[in-house]
Amino acid sequence: AAGVTVLRNLICRSAIHIKKEVLQHLPLSACLQLLDDVPCVAGQTLALLRNLFASHMEALVDVGAADLETVLHKTTQQAHRAAQGGDPLSEDQVQTVEHCVWLLSHAALAESSVATVMQEPLARFVMQSLQARQPSIQLAATWTVLNLIWPTAASEGGQGPRSQRIARLRALVDVGAADLE
């Protein structure tokens, strides 16, 4: 866990070329294996992924594109399990969920990975995270939604993919509200 923690801290504010090099030497497939390790290592790996993709997401997606969707689904599954861990959530559970939602937020910045984040289990998880009791999780979920619906050159005027994403997220909120009634 100490090695992952050191790498997580070093990568936080690193330049894009360093992040690309890290992804070449520690591919996302290796991170998937670390996510299966003991909770301490898995948590630090989530934090590492969050820091790795915190900026320059579009450029980094190309380096690890083959495994990014798998990583996003796996981290969301872990965060979902953590969120089911009791009430109130432990600090470790909150951090697991928070790191996952921030990772989804960063992925939503890259046009090439928006479709992945909009998939059923991931988008639903984001919308459920808006309802979390912990402000840090709500904040991460809010930024994820903003990143998903932020206008791009391809979606100016409210047409196309942006309006479809807004409608999809609205439908998930409506379904979630019906589940609560």
Side-chain angles (χ1 to χ4, degrees):
V4 178
T5 302
V6 168
L7 188 56
R8 178 200 81 187
N9 290 333
L10 288 173
I11 204 71
C12 187
R13 296 186 187 254
S14 296
I16 184 67
H17 70 278
I18 294 172
K19 290 181 177 189
K20 283 183 175 183
E21 193 168 323
V22 167
L23 273 175
Q24 289 170 350
H25 295 290
L26 180 66
L28 292 178
S29 57
C31 291
L32 282 169
Q33 293 174 349
L34 291 172
L35 289 170
D36 286 330
D37 210 316
V38 295
C40 180
V41 173
Q44 291 302 316
T45 303
L46 274 172
L48 168 65
L49 290 168
R50 174 186 173 181
N51 290 348
L52 187 62
F53 289 107
S55 59
H56 312 291
M57 182 67 184
E58 193 70 55
L60 291 169
V61 166
D62 296 337
V63 177
D67 295 314
L68 181 62
E69 184 173 348
T70 305
V71 167
L72 292 175
H73 280 281
K74 185 166 191 139
T75 57
T76 302
Q77 289 170 353
Q78 285 188 325
H80 184 71
R81 281 194 303 271
Q84 303 301 315
D87 192 24
L89 297 179
S90 72
E91 184 61 33
D92 287 341
Q93 291 166 321
V94 169
Q95 285 183 354
T96 296
V97 174
E98 183 182 347
H99 288 316
C100 176
V101 179
W102 278 116
L103 182 58
L104 291 170
S105 178
H106 300 324
L109 287 171
E111 196 64 37
S112 60
S113 60
V114 166
T116 300
V117 179
M118 287 300 298
Q119 291 177 4
E120 173 61 29
L122 303 181
R124 181 176 300 281
F125 180 75
V126 169
M127 299 311 286
Q128 289 171 342
S129 296
L130 286 170
Q131 305 293 323
R133 291 188 175 148
Q134 298 77 15
S136 61
I137 295 173
Q138 291 174 345
L139 177 65
T142 300
W143 275 105
T144 305
V145 170
L146 288 172
N147 289 343
L148 286 169
I149 64 173
W150 195 258
T152 63
S155 65
E156 286 190 21
Q159 303 299 319
R162 177 176 179 247
S163 60
Q164 293 169 356
R165 290 192 300 259
I166 291 171
R168 172 94 173 97
L169 292 171
R170 184 176 293 135
L172 287 173
V173 170
D174 293 342
V175 168
D179 289 346
L180 293 174
E181 293 177 353

